[in-house]
Amino acid sequence: MYKQIVINMADHETRVALLEDGTIAELFIERKDGTDSAGNIYKGRVQRVLPGMQAAFVDIGLNQAAFIYVDDVIGERIEDVERYFNEKKKLEESEPEASEENEGSQKNGRKDSVFARQNIEGLITEGQEMLVQVAKSPMETKGARITSHVSLPGRFLVLMPTSDHIGISRRIEDPVERDRLKEIVSSLRTEQMGYIVRTAAEGVRPEKLAYEMGFLKNLWEGVKNKYNSMPAASLLHKELSVSLRAVRDLLIQEAEKLIVDSRAGYETIRSFLDTCMPSLKDSVELYEGREPIFDAYNLEGDISRALKRKVWLKSGGYIVIEHTEALVAIDVNTGRYVGKHNLEETITKTNLEAVKEIAYQIRLRDIGGIIIIDFIDMEKKSNQEKVFNSLQDALKKDRSKTNVLPMSEMGLIQMTRKRVRKPLTRLLCEPCFYCEGEGYLISKKTICYNMYRDVIRDSRDMLGKRLTLRVNPEIAELLYGEESHLILDLEQQIEKGVVVYPNPEFHMEQFDILEILS
């Protein structure tokens, strides 16, 4: 399978698409609002301890207080830490391997944690300062989920300062290579800290592993020094930007090529590769075409389709994806597909086709948490097993950890998928005030950014000296205020004056681009 990364960079937003054989498989979006804080390390202060929930709220400097569960807390007392390491070692010896999905984080939230049996008020107190890492970014009304179990990912290794375990990625299957890597890391390790050896380390020389171990240790020492010198609610370490994360986690390990449409971004990526993987610099390409890069690769249509509630299948059937507070429900329907022979065959074919689309949409939309899939009822047990096995096979491409339960008697499949960030629909959309929050509109910022791209796209064929943008008054207000830099940027890029004209009769998502010749 040929994989490549396509990056669209602007001052206000960066979009990274992973393509598999020319089809978008994953999409990552980063905006300057700072909502994506996963991986960041903070010095926080405990605001409130909740014994009834065995959790606590911690101020880390974000708009909402973060929360931490008892399983994610390492005690401050010496005897707590020693007991933690002893119990942790016993547990890790019973599960000695590391999965690829968990390469960037430790096994947080485990029910068999040594502290799951201890009350949280015995570990932390209100007003206490603590070093924490964001495990899950803020979502909806929930603050960020944080943990004391810090992990620092590199390209070959993940450093785990609160563990002394050495794990090898399950994707490295050769037992000789696994033993070689474990022996190298064990011999190079000088302190009681854990490591996970990532898939990219397969075949790597000991000198490179030693260099990265030293780099990660120095990074951790820097974090600790900042913790001692900075006040509470301070950022101690910021995770890499989305474009550099794509280089570290995708280009080095999976993709064969990276194309970016920004000269500054191109230079930054090449500079980053200079320090970690110079041999991959030739895999990075600067896109200089006149057509916007996502249009050139036909990605905008797939992104728009990923925001729809209903997704049609080629046969004429369709699936419906519904987000609720607790879970995501996916319903499969035959739609216009009537089959050729009998009902059981028609239903089975529809379900098997839906399986591929469901796995694709879950990955593209980055849907996490509990997912319930309602397949069309099948009478034969063999057909049920065929659909279940097909779903498991389709999910193997997904880098996020999934757990799928067998189909129930009611034709339901229950599954979970690791959730770290907002799903695509929550990131690009907001509750619709037209229907009092029962549905979703494209957010005002997304409308502004879409309009920005449309103007760039259409401007090369315009002969006029000025452009008028007719928009909904609320969009006009945003363009005059918080997003005024978009207008200035447009005028510089297209070398024409741009005037925004509010029209109260326009729907929120509606806008017109008018060319003024004189």
Side-chain angles (χ1 to χ4, degrees):
M1 181 182 294
Y2 181 70
K3 296 184 180 182
Q4 55 185 334
I5 302 165
V6 177
I7 302 180
N8 168 223
M9 297 185 73
D11 289 340
H12 52 274
E13 180 185 64
T14 299
R15 300 186 297 169
V16 177
L18 173 64
L19 275 60
E20 294 179 349
D21 291 335
T23 301
I24 184 171
E26 296 182 36
L27 178 67
F28 310 94
I29 298 177
E30 183 175 80
R31 292 176 174 174
K32 285 193 173 180
D33 53 14
T35 54
D36 186 2
S37 55
N40 291 354
I41 300 175
Y42 296 86
K43 181 177 183 177
R45 175 175 279 116
V46 179
Q47 287 184 328
R48 189 180 175 194
V49 178
L50 306 172
M53 295 184 64
Q54 287 300 292
F57 287 108
V58 182
D59 178 19
I60 60 173
L62 301 182
N63 293 332
Q64 293 173 290
F67 63 95
I68 187 168
Y69 289 116
V70 64
D71 287 4
D72 297 318
V73 177
I74 297 179
E76 297 294 327
R77 299 189 300 271
I78 296 297
E79 57 270 25
D80 285 338
V81 177
E82 289 178 349
R83 186 161 60 88
Y84 171 80
F85 276 118
N86 290 335
E87 293 291 332
K88 182 84 171 175
K89 188 172 183 179
K90 292 178 183 177
L91 292 171
E92 287 170 343
E93 284 173 353
S94 65
E95 295 183 30
E97 307 305 341
S99 67
E100 180 76 10
E101 298 86 353
N102 291 326
E103 283 182 342
S105 63
Q106 295 192 53
K107 299 172 184 176
N108 297 327
R110 290 179 51 178
K111 296 185 182 299
D112 57 358
S113 167
V114 59
F115 290 119
R117 300 183 297 274
Q118 183 168 341
N119 292 330
I120 194 167
E121 60 267 35
L123 298 172
I124 55 176
T125 57
E126 292 184 9
Q128 175 183 323
E129 296 178 348
M130 58 190 306
L131 188 149
V132 294
Q133 184 172 36
V134 176
K136 292 183 180 180
S137 296
M139 298 181 194
E140 305 296 333
T141 58
K142 297 179 180 179
R145 178 169 176 175
I146 56 177
T147 175
S148 295
H149 305 275
V150 175
S151 62
L152 293 170
R155 67 188 188 280
F156 300 132
L157 303 167
V158 178
L159 171 64
M160 302 181 296
T162 60
S163 171
D164 61 353
H165 167 64
I166 298 175
I168 312 295
S169 168
R170 285 179 182 155
R171 293 191 181 182
I172 300 176
E173 299 178 351
D174 184 0
V176 175
E177 177 65 7
R178 295 174 68 86
D179 291 341
R180 183 188 77 91
L181 291 169
K182 192 162 189 174
E183 184 178 341
I184 291 172
V185 175
S186 299
S187 62
L188 293 173
R189 185 172 62 167
T190 57
E191 299 179 38
Q192 190 185 34
M193 291 193 289
Y195 291 91
I196 290 178
V197 181
R198 307 187 74 172
T199 309
E202 188 169 10
V204 169
R205 298 193 307 272
E207 307 90 79
K208 288 191 175 183
L209 296 179
Y211 174 82
E212 182 155 295
M213 289 176 74
F215 171 79
L216 293 174
K217 280 164 58 178
N218 290 337
L219 185 62
W220 173 238
E221 289 299 321
V223 170
K224 291 194 294 183
N225 291 336
K226 286 183 180 180
Y227 178 82
N228 293 328
S229 61
M230 297 182 72
S234 295
L235 176 65
L236 305 180
H237 169 75
K238 184 173 177 60
E239 174 64 303
L240 295 175
S241 66
V242 66
S243 55
L244 295 184
R245 288 202 306 270
V247 174
R248 182 191 68 194
D249 299 334
L250 297 175
L251 181 62
I252 290 177
Q253 299 186 48
E254 297 185 35
E256 300 172 49
K257 188 177 182 182
L258 184 148
I259 308 99
V260 57
D261 64 354
S262 162
R263 169 68 67 176
Y266 172 77
E267 297 296 344
T268 300
I269 290 170
R270 285 178 62 86
S271 176
F272 179 76
L273 285 171
D274 260 335
T275 62
C276 65
M277 192 67 77
S279 61
L280 288 177
K281 288 176 66 176
D282 292 339
S283 301
V284 181
E285 177 184 314
L286 176 64
Y287 176 80
E288 297 180 293
R290 294 183 63 194
E291 189 178 17
I293 188 169
F294 270 39
D295 287 346
Y297 285 87
N298 299 315
L299 304 182
E300 297 289 8
D302 286 332
I303 295 172
S304 297
R305 186 166 169 257
L307 301 178
K308 302 295 184 183
R309 174 176 170 268
K310 180 184 288 188
V311 180
W312 288 96
L313 306 175
K314 291 181 179 179
S315 67
Y318 64 89
I319 62 173
V320 176
I321 303 174
E322 292 279 7
H323 290 259
T324 72
E325 189 73 17
L327 53 83
V328 174
I330 302 177
D331 185 36
V332 181
N333 296 277
T334 54
R336 297 189 294 262
Y337 181 55
V338 296
K340 294 181 179 179
H341 297 96
N342 58 64
L343 178 61
E344 180 74 7
E345 181 187 54
T346 301
I347 290 173
T348 303
K349 284 188 175 180
T350 303
N351 284 337
L352 288 172
E353 185 183 10
V355 159
K356 296 179 182 178
E357 188 65 35
I358 288 169
Y360 172 72
Q361 291 294 331
I362 286 175
R363 189 178 173 198
L364 177 58
R365 300 180 187 221
D366 200 13
I367 298 172
I370 300 172
I371 303 170
I372 306 296
I373 306 172
D374 183 11
F375 287 101
I376 309 169
D377 290 341
M378 296 168 287
E379 293 183 0
K380 296 181 179 179
K381 189 71 175 177
S382 60
N383 289 334
Q384 294 178 6
E385 291 176 356
K386 189 184 297 183
V387 170
F388 171 71
N389 292 333
S390 179
L391 179 61
Q392 286 190 310
D393 289 340
L395 290 170
K396 286 179 180 178
K397 297 179 182 178
D398 198 339
R399 293 182 302 116
S400 293
K401 185 178 181 180
T402 57
N403 181 35
V404 186
L405 298 180
M407 185 176 291
S408 70
E409 293 181 0
M410 299 178 67
L412 301 176
I413 283 185
Q414 304 170 68
M415 64 171 287
T416 59
R417 183 174 183 268
K418 186 178 179 181
R419 176 168 56 192
V420 177
R421 298 175 178 85
K422 290 181 181 179
L424 193 63
T425 49
R426 294 296 190 258
L427 181 63
L428 298 184
C429 304
E430 63 186 16
C432 172
F433 59 85
Y434 286 108
C435 60
E436 299 180 351
E438 295 298 325
Y440 282 85
L441 284 173
I442 296 176
S443 71
K444 299 181 189 68
K445 278 191 176 183
T446 303
I447 293 171
C448 290
Y449 300 161
N450 286 346
M451 186 163 53
Y452 172 93
R453 286 190 284 270
D454 281 359
V455 172
I456 296 291
R457 184 183 299 115
D458 297 339
S459 63
R460 61 178 181 270
D461 298 321
M462 293 183 177
L463 302 176
K465 297 181 179 178
R466 291 185 296 124
L467 295 180
T468 294
L469 304 179
R470 294 198 302 168
V471 299
N472 179 280
E474 292 196 35
I475 301 299
E477 183 179 354
L478 192 62
L479 290 171
Y480 284 133
E482 183 181 345
E483 299 295 332
S484 59
H485 60 92
L486 291 179
I487 302 301
L488 297 175
D489 190 24
L490 276 177
E491 290 178 335
Q492 290 177 356
Q493 290 209 43
I494 67 176
E495 298 180 346
K496 303 177 192 293
V498 178
V499 177
V500 179
Y501 180 80
N503 188 332
E505 296 183 3
F506 272 30
H507 184 278
M508 183 65 68
E509 297 180 9
Q510 183 181 356
F511 60 84
D512 282 341
I513 303 171
L514 303 177
E515 182 180 9
I516 309 299
L517 296 176
S518 59

